[in-house]
Amino acid sequence: MDFSAWMSSIQQRIESALEHLLPASSLEPARLHEAMRYATLDGGKRVRPLLCHGSGEIFGVAPELLDQAACAVEMIHVYSLVHDDLPCMDDDVLRRGKPTCHVEFDEATALLVGDALQSLAFQTLSETALAAPRQVSMLRLLAQASGSRGMAGGQAIDLAATGQALSLEELEFMHIHKTGALIRAAVLLGAHCGQADEAALASLTQFANRVGLLFQVVDDILDAESNTATLGKTAGKDAAHNKPTYVSLLGATQAKQKAAELRAQAHDCLVPYGAQARRLHELTDYIVERKF
Amino acid sequence: MDFSAWMSSIQQRIESALEHLLPASSLEPARLHEAMRYATLDGGKRVRPLLCHGSGEIFGVAPELLDQAACAVEMIHVYSLVHDDLPCMDDDVLRRGKPTCHVEFDEATALLVGDALQSLAFQTLSETALAAPRQVSMLRLLAQASGSRGMAGGQAIDLAATGQALSLEELEFMHIHKTGALIRAAVLLGAHCGQADEAALASLTQFANRVGLLFQVVDDILDAESNTATLGKTAGKDAAHNKPTYVSLLGATQAKQKAAELRAQAHDCLVPYGAQARRLHELTDYIVERKF
């Protein structure tokens, strides 16, 4: 199967699994469930679920054993987008080509959508068929990645950084938390579904750290160079919000050079796995070459 | 030990455990950690941790084995208060006798405080010394209680009910989710820390359902009859927001009658446990007789 067919097949699996895991709109409270489904379904590239599946494939894990972990990470990601778009945060009106959740529904509902998606992510991970000790490790990993020393902490650092002059080190520190923590969790959860040993987890952590930064560098380039219609979210908002980015710090040319280096480093981390790591290798390329 | 001494000793245990579980204010992101500590520490009656400890005592569980579960429930409770107080929800300025989190800090920080406290609750439950299968059950129980079919769903029902005429049944449906789900989780998590069998879990569920409603009926009476200084939160806000309450539906006299019935029913559920259920029995009385 070529990469594009593999990607489509995983994206379809994830859509169908999310569809199943999210409460039906007919269940009370119906408006909340409708809004959770609006925010989660039919949108996004599902990069984190793809990374989770790609990582699990290294260890020969069957796709059906990876879906719940992949969906749990995606639920955390979607909740963070819904909260990040709220007026008190980025105040954004467009996401994945649709009105943001608080615009389509209302702010209070969007707040609860995020809250409930976070709970559902942990519920989903607690309902896998994996052995209990492994489930506990995975739940701990996702909780750490989501919290104040992970993704939520990264958003706090981002808030504090808006309008500030950051060094490249400070910018990386922010992204290692804000985007990096969850990307790392996606890769490691996939590996946890299989028989990954400590050495494998360590090298995949290195891979994920590179991919997390790579993802952000490319995001910054796209935000600076693309347009809203292509991105499906508001373009140019980093500059408009006076947010430090790789492009504002390094310039576009050097940012692209940085992306090329990170891609090469990420690929290097996969060498020990040979052809087993094919999908993670291809995903790294996809992250660089994507147009939105 | 009399009830008041027991309550103080548990409250002190919980304060000390929360102090230890929350990241230090010196850790980055410092402002977020400071705000998490501000919202969580030095406040509240810790009713849910007390219920968790009281329930665990029935099964002879040592207090040190109950602290993490008790703190996890309290973290979920505190996160819900912080989000509930936001301008897009109840827009409240006073909580536990202090300015609310978004007033003391800012809205974006308060949003992230709630988000990060929810993650920390699950992280805390994933780090207990209990056997892994039990940990997974407890994580699942807390996630279900917190989500769209539990507490967050209850808040959505509450939002939709503001300004509406509700029947008593509809009001109870709301509270069974909004307050009841987490109170039930507190009682059941305490029981899960011990060797509770299915029958015990069923009878304690009945107990917790009564106590959850009782808590809410008394809250409604206090909101109608007390003042802001005594409550440590804004009094009379249900009426001001045109929210249906037991007092607005039944009148004060019948609401008090209802509280007396629920107390008796809750006590009945504890009969099989005899003196082992002493603290839950006393806590039920405390919930009725409290002044704030």
Side-chain angles (χ1 to χ4, degrees), chain A residues 11-80:
Chain A
Q11 285 166 337
Q12 280 166 36
R13 293 190 69 87
I14 295 302
E15 189 71 15
S16 152
L18 287 170
E19 163 81 40
H20 180 75
L21 290 164
L22 287 160
S25 309
S26 54
L27 283 177
E28 284 296 331
R31 186 175 161 84
L32 176 61
H33 290 144
E34 194 192 331
M36 288 169 74
R37 299 177 75 86
Y38 174 85
T40 312
L41 296 175
D42 190 25
K45 300 171 289 293
R46 312 295 188 199
V47 168
R48 290 153 196 80
L50 288 164
L51 285 166
C52 183
H53 271 269
S55 175
E57 283 200 12
I58 292 182
F59 305 94
V61 185
E64 52 273 24
L65 284 176
L66 292 161
D67 287 337
Q68 278 163 287
C71 287
V73 177
E74 187 68 6
M75 287 172 190
I76 295 283
H77 175 57
V78 172
Y79 117 63
S80 80

Side-chain angles (χ1 to χ4, degrees), chain A residues 135-250:
Chain A
Q135 276 184 290
V136 173
S137 300
M138 291 169 71
L139 281 154
R140 186 163 51 232
L141 196 154
L142 187 64
Q144 287 170 339
S146 305
S148 74
R149 315 291 323 263
M151 184 189 73
Q155 288 185 294
I157 299 167
D158 191 11
L159 275 178
T162 299
Q164 303 282 315
L166 291 192
S167 69
L168 191 60
E169 288 69 30
E170 288 168 328
L171 187 72
E172 287 205 355
F173 180 78
M174 173 176 94
H175 289 311
I176 284 167
H177 291 80
K178 193 185 171 195
T179 334
L182 205 56
I183 285 184
R184 210 155 45 240
V187 171
L188 294 179
L189 287 176
H192 269 83
C193 290
Q195 303 293 332
D197 59 17
E198 287 303 314
L201 293 176
S203 69
L204 286 173
T205 300
Q206 290 303 312
F207 165 76
N209 286 340
R210 303 292 185 279
V211 167
L213 285 179
L214 176 61
F215 190 85
Q216 195 57 53
V217 175
V218 174
D219 237 32
D220 288 352
I221 296 168
L222 288 172
D223 184 73
E225 300 194 342
S226 192
N227 61 54
T228 299
T230 308
L231 289 181
K233 61 183 179 184
T234 313
K237 74 177 177 183
D238 294 334
H241 286 183
N242 198 18
K243 278 198 179 184
T245 72
Y246 285 99
V247 174
S248 71
L249 245 75
L250 299 173

Side-chain angles (χ1 to χ4, degrees), chain B residues 32-271:
Chain B
L32 176 61
H33 290 144
E34 194 192 332
M36 288 169 74
R37 299 178 74 86
Y38 174 85
T40 311
L41 297 175
D42 190 25
K45 300 171 288 291
R46 312 297 188 199
V47 168
R48 291 154 194 79
L50 288 164
L51 285 165
C52 184
H53 271 270
S55 176
E57 284 200 11
I58 293 182
F59 305 95
V61 185
E64 52 272 25
L65 283 178
L66 293 160
D67 287 337
Q68 279 163 287
C71 288
V73 178
E74 186 69 6
M75 287 171 190
I76 295 284
H77 175 58
V78 172
Y79 116 63
S80 79
L81 298 180
V82 171
H83 280 188
D84 214 26
D85 287 335
L86 283 170
C88 70
M89 299 282 286
D90 281 358
D91 193 12
D92 219 321
V93 297
L94 192 67
R95 172 68 70 181
R96 294 177 167 178
K98 301 189 294 189
T100 47
C101 191
H102 66 277
V103 169
E104 184 71 14
F105 293 85
D106 56 81
E107 276 185 55
T109 300
L111 178 66
L112 293 174
V113 162
D115 290 346
L117 281 174
Q118 181 170 188
S119 306
L120 189 58
F122 291 107
Q123 186 183 331
T124 300
L125 261 196
S126 76
E127 290 171 345
T128 63
L130 296 161
R134 190 160 304 203
Q135 277 184 289
V136 173
S137 301
M138 292 169 69
L139 282 154
R140 185 161 54 230
L141 196 154
L142 187 64
Q144 287 169 339
S146 306
S148 74
R149 313 292 324 259
M151 185 188 72
Q155 289 186 293
I157 299 167
D158 190 12
L159 275 178
T162 299
Q164 302 283 314
L166 290 193
S167 69
L168 192 60
E169 289 68 31
E170 289 168 327
L171 188 70
E172 288 206 353
F173 181 78
M174 173 176 96
H175 289 311
I176 284 167
H177 291 81
K178 192 184 172 195
T179 335
L182 205 54
I183 285 185
R184 210 156 45 241
V187 170
L188 294 179
L189 287 176
H192 269 84
C193 290
Q195 302 293 332
D197 60 17
E198 287 303 313
L201 293 176
S203 67
L204 286 174
T205 300
Q206 290 304 311
F207 165 77
N209 286 340
R210 302 295 185 278
V211 166
L213 285 179
L214 176 61
F215 190 85
Q216 194 59 53
V217 175
V218 175
D219 236 33
D220 287 353
I221 296 169
L222 288 171
D223 184 72
E225 300 194 342
S226 193
N227 60 54
T228 299
T230 308
L231 289 181
K233 62 183 178 183
T234 313
K237 74 178 177 182
D238 293 334
H241 287 182
N242 198 18
K243 280 199 179 182
T245 72
Y246 284 99
V247 175
S248 71
L249 246 75
L250 298 173
T253 309
Q254 270 213 282
K256 287 172 188 171
Q257 176 63 28
K258 172 110 185 149
E261 286 164 18
L262 286 166
R263 166 162 42 179
Q265 290 169 4
H267 282 165
D268 283 349
C269 297
L270 300 175
V271 170

